[in-house]
Amino acid sequence: MEERGERGRTQENGRSDGSAREPRSSACTSLKMFLVALSFAYFAKALSGSYMKSTITQLERRFDIPSYLIGVIDGSFEIGNLLVIAFVSYFGAKLHRPKIIAVGCILMSIGTFIIALPHFIIGRYEYETSVRWVVNSTLNPSPCPVGSPADQTQAGKLPQVPATGCESESNLSMWIYVLLGNVLRGIGETPVQPLGISYIDDFATEENAALYVGCVQTISVVGPVFGYLLGSLCAKIYVDIGFVKMETITITPADARWVGAWWLGYLIAGVITLLSAIPFWFLPRSIPISGPRVPEKCTPEQTSFIKESPLLKHKYPADDHTSFIEMAKDFFPTLRTLLAHPVYLIYLCVTIIQLNSLIGMVTYKPKYIEQHFRQSASKANFLMGVINIPAVALGMFSGGLLMKRLKLNIMGAARFAFGTSLIGYILSLFFFAMSCENAKVAGVTLSYNSLDAISYDKHSVFTACNSDCFCSSSDWDPVCGENGITYVSPCLAGCTTSVGSGKNTVFSNCSCVGVAGNFTASTGQCPQKDDCDRMFPYFLALSVITSFIISLGGTPGYMLLIRCIKPQLKSLALGFHALATRTLAGIPAPIYFGAIIDTTCLKWGQKRCGGIGACRIYNTTAYRIAYLGLTLSLRTISFIICIPGFILLSRQLKKEERSGIHGALTNGGTELEALRKEEFVISNSEQTQHTSDNSTDRQTRL
């Protein structure tokens, strides 16, 4: 009978173990599925974000807009994010988080498709050119139409006649669609990080949560690499590929008028983001945690303690109905306490200024490589993706590893972050020495009368050698003369005849060229003949080294933010830091960097319907000083603010150390007093017992 009972109990235990294992395994599968889905979503949003950065010059040229407007478009993502982040973070945690993330991914994909929409609305790209070449034609039109001076305005320019088809164009600029699409991308991206990370933290074990978050962050670093590589690939392909005959295109990817297939990358990124939304629809709202969260060998008291743990109640506030008014009342005093913390306030100022420098630099770095070192947009994006981004990722990982190995405390982390930033700053000063001479363009960087020395005085493109031609000064259709000088157009080079077609067209009888009887010119700008190509590898090497060193301090700097404040203020401190950096760095930095870069433009393009378009050639010396000078000036200001920060941090640590010692002494004294009292009670009880024993003995004897 006893054996049967034991066997029955064993079978019951077996069934209960089996039933317990099933939800455990399904919960584990659901969590792993969520981890894979979130990693893919992170990859998709990082890819589309970096692709946006890679297309800034393409968008400038396609929509004929200056750099500061590109900055507005770039910052619109942060605007969209800020519009809904408070609502999503608060209400999202109380709803079905995976489905909200899925909705966010769908919004991101719709926004990405909207960005590509203008390509299918505005028709074919028509770049400015003074001569239309006809393929297989034996009789080419003369580049130098003969006209009388009376036909020109007093300024020496053609009268501005609106191009045909302008009446049908919408008054609303097409770049507005790109702006709205990017705002929608920002709105869609909002739930991915806060809800995704909180979901992992809620339902993963404490040991695995950090590992899972690390995996997600690592995948998000891979996204920008593929984003820039996609940008490089699309920049090589002509914007209207499939709709025009490539033989008729007379420009190359290195030309300032070239526009790549920018829209293609957005369609690819949109599809990838849309696919990332699918898995989230099939994931549960919550994962059962009672089994896996409770250790196997627990006493009933421990089990009930874990179930009723205040930590779990805090992590899963499903039944907590705190009113919004009560929360608001607590919010403002807490925020006041946080902002009254001097170390946190200085850290906030330093990171805002440093992020202004970093965001402005990263946004316009591909453009700087294009303009200063005369590289194509495709090559600039390729180098950003293959060299710079991996260096940053390796630096961040190495910084975390070094912090763990060196066992840095809060002051050690601050010194480490400051030291790496300072070394990167000193190395960045060498970028000023890596200069390239400006392109020699007659009437822009050179005077027609003195074609030897580059000068940035205001030159006229009209001179005696092209006075017989009826030329437009607004066109940008560069040709390279046999004398190694670039001319704004074949007309302004004084060329009267042309032979060949497309890219192989050769202009002859160019009166402004004139070298030993050879008066010919070919299409495109003259290749650079100075030491610019030799300088470029050194620029890349220094760029990688500085990116790596500055990134080393990223992780210790972030840990400083977490450790310098009280644990109960940590969530608010991180949230307010993200809000402040996005508002005061993410939005304004691309705009004012772009506006300052615009001031260095030497030759603006012309819109088809009149008005200033995108810049065609920059003063590279002024560009270098403005771009690098602004970046390093901001970092200089941040270093100055760091000095009082270190003083206040050391005072805070000394104060905490003193209070800790005082607390320990107080606790020690209290414990000693308690021990004495305990000893006194024990001795009294022993004496009482001894007395009672003696009285018992006496009674026994009697």
Side-chain angles (χ1 to χ4, degrees), residues 25-102:
S25 61
S26 64
C28 187
T29 307
S30 297
L31 189 61
K32 285 180 179 176
M33 279 295 296
F34 182 83
L35 181 65
V36 171
L38 188 66
S39 299
F40 188 43
Y42 260 71
F43 171 81
K45 78 181 182 73
L47 182 142
S48 57
S50 56
Y51 183 75
M52 165 61 81
K53 299 277 187 194
S54 76
T55 57
I56 60 167
T57 50
Q58 313 292 316
L59 295 173
E60 269 185 37
R61 295 168 186 174
R62 184 65 187 95
F63 299 110
D64 273 320
I65 53 176
S67 295
Y68 82 89
L69 275 181
I70 284 293
V72 173
I73 291 169
D74 190 66
S76 65
F77 177 84
E78 304 290 355
I79 294 169
N81 208 291
L82 290 170
L83 286 173
V84 294
I85 192 164
F87 298 102
V88 168
S89 300
Y90 181 74
F91 294 107
K94 300 177 182 298
L95 303 170
H96 197 302
R97 281 179 282 185
K99 285 188 178 177
I100 291 173
I101 294 171

Side-chain angles (χ1 to χ4, degrees), residues 224-240:
V225 175
F226 283 90
Y228 277 106
L229 290 178
L230 181 62
S232 173
L233 178 68
C234 293
K236 281 183 184 177
I237 304 166
Y238 186 65
V239 61
D240 292 322

Side-chain angles (χ1 to χ4, degrees), residues 408-421 556 560 646 649-650:
L408 297 174
N409 59 9
I410 184 169
M411 183 55 87
R415 285 173 181 161
F416 186 84
F418 181 81
T420 53
S421 188
L560 171 64
F646 273 111
L649 181 62
S650 63

Side-chain angles (χ1 to χ4, degrees), residues 510-685:
C510 303
S511 55
C512 295
V513 178
V515 176
N518 192 348
F519 302 105
T520 60
S522 54
T523 58
Q525 282 185 251
C526 294
Q528 200 68 18
K529 293 181 181 178
D530 60 5
D531 296 337
C532 208
D533 288 337
R534 199 171 62 188
M535 187 70 74
F536 188 52
Y538 293 108
F539 170 82
L540 287 178
L542 186 60
S543 180
V544 168
I545 292 165
T546 51
S547 297
F548 174 77
I549 290 171
I550 291 168
S551 302
L552 274 174
T555 305
Y558 198 71
M559 293 309 295
L560 171 64
L561 168 63
I562 293 168
R563 290 181 186 175
C564 77
I565 45 172
K566 293 175 183 176
Q568 59 267 32
L569 294 174
K570 193 184 295 181
S571 297
L572 180 63
L574 291 171
F576 190 79
H577 178 263
L579 178 74
T581 50
R582 287 187 170 193
T583 308
L584 301 175
I587 296 169
I591 299 171
Y592 67 77
F593 262 81
I596 289 169
I597 287 168
D598 283 339
T599 61
T600 66
C601 184
L602 291 172
K603 173 71 177 170
W604 289 98
Q606 190 77 12
K607 286 186 181 178
R608 193 162 64 90
C609 298
I612 292 173
C615 187
R616 298 306 186 196
I617 184 169
Y618 289 89
N619 177 344
T620 52
T621 305
Y623 192 141
R624 184 176 72 255
I625 292 167
Y627 174 73
L628 297 175
L630 185 57
T631 303
L632 295 176
S633 298
L634 288 166
R635 279 158 70 181
T636 305
I637 295 165
S638 72
F639 289 144
I640 293 166
I641 298 171
C642 278
I643 296 166
F646 273 111
I647 295 165
L648 289 168
L649 181 62
S650 63
R651 282 180 185 173
Q652 180 185 318
L653 291 174
K654 283 176 184 175
K655 188 178 177 183
E656 285 176 3
E657 193 178 343
R658 279 198 301 269
S659 63
I661 292 165
H662 179 70
L665 289 170
T666 308
N667 290 338
T670 309
E671 285 172 13
L672 189 63
E673 190 67 30
L675 283 168
R676 281 175 183 164
K677 283 180 181 177
E678 195 176 337
E679 283 174 6
F680 179 73
V681 169
I682 290 166
S683 63
N684 281 347
S685 64

Side-chain angles (χ1 to χ4, degrees), residues 331-357:
F331 174 75
F332 290 106
T334 312
L335 184 62
R336 198 181 302 115
T337 306
L338 180 67
L339 295 177
H341 194 295
V343 176
Y344 176 77
L345 198 61
I346 285 176
Y347 180 89
L348 194 65
C349 293
V350 168
T351 49
I352 285 169
I353 294 167
Q354 291 233 352
L355 279 171
N356 267 276
S357 170

Side-chain angles (χ1 to χ4, degrees), residues 171 220 305:
N171 291 328
S220 70
F305 172 75

